[in-house]
C-alpha cells in the first residue's frame, strides 16, 4: 500500500502542526532563558552571521549532527532558518527523533535579527 504524496508546502504545513511555531518575540524570550537555538541554514547563509550562541547545523545533516549539540531529549530546542520552512521540517524531525522540546521559529533569520537578538560571525 502506498502512502499519499504531499507537496513541499503540505509537508511544511504538517511539520508546523507537529512541532509548533514561535513568534520572533517568543524566540528572543526563550533565547534569554537558555533555550538551545539551532540554525539550520546552509554554511553559505550562516556566513552572514547567526544568532549568538546558536548552533549551525544544516538541515541536511541534522539527524546525524544533533547528538553533537545535545543528547538531552527534554531540552528546549528552537530551530530557525531564512524563512521558516526548513526550521519547521527540522523541528518536526527532532520531535520524531524523541526531542520533545523541539519547536520552530515562524520567522527567518532577518526577522529574528530585528528583535535585537545578538548576532555573531564565524572567525
Amino acid at each position: 500500500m502506498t502512502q499519499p504524496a504531499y507537496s513541499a508546502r503540505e509537508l511544511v504545513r504538517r511539520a508546523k502542526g507537529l512541532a509548533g511555531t514561535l513568534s520572533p518575540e517568543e524566540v528572543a524570550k526563550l533565547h534569554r532563558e537558555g533555550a538551545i537555538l539551532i540554525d539550520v541554514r546552509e554554511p553559505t547563509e550562516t556566513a552572514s552571521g547567526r544568532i549568538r550562541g546558536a548552533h549551525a547545523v544544516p538541515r541536511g545533516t541534522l539527524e546525524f549532527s544533533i547528538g553533537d549539540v545535545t543528547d538531552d531529549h527534554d531540552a528546549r530546542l528552537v530551530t530557525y532558518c531564512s524563512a521558516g520552512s526548513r526550521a519547521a521540517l527540522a523541528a518536526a524531525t527532532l520531535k520524531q527523533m524523541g526531542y520533545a522540546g523541539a519547536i520552530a521559529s515562524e520567522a527567518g533569520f532577518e526577522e529574528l535579527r530585528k528583535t535585537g537578538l545578538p548576532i555573531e560571525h564565524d572567525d
Side-chain angles (χ1 to χ4, degrees), residues 2-70:
T2 61
Q3 293 188 354
Y6 299 112
S7 67
R9 183 176 298 196
E10 178 63 13
L11 286 174
V12 170
R13 187 188 71 73
R14 288 171 175 267
K16 288 178 179 181
L18 175 65
T21 61
L22 297 170
S23 70
E25 295 76 23
E26 291 169 319
V27 172
K29 179 179 183 286
L30 286 178
H31 181 261
R32 287 189 303 272
E33 294 173 356
I36 299 171
L37 270 59
I38 301 174
D39 187 329
V40 298
R41 297 176 298 153
E42 293 298 315
T44 55
E45 297 171 287
T46 60
S48 65
R50 67 176 182 268
I51 297 170
R52 184 177 299 140
H55 298 269
V57 182
R59 171 69 190 96
T61 64
L62 181 69
E63 294 87 344
F64 304 103
S65 303
I66 190 62
D68 296 336
V69 174
T70 184

Side-chain angles (χ1 to χ4, degrees), residues 15-22 27 30 35-38 40 62 66 70 72-80 86-105:
K16 288 178 179 181
L18 175 65
T21 61
L22 297 170
V27 172
L30 286 178
I36 299 171
L37 270 59
I38 301 174
V40 298
L62 181 69
I66 190 62
T70 184
D72 180 357
H73 283 69
D74 294 319
R76 174 54 97 188
L77 305 175
V78 179
T79 59
Y80 72 90
R86 286 176 289 174
L89 293 169
T93 296
L94 290 170
K95 288 265 193 194
Q96 291 170 334
M97 292 177 70
Y99 289 90
I103 194 163
S105 171

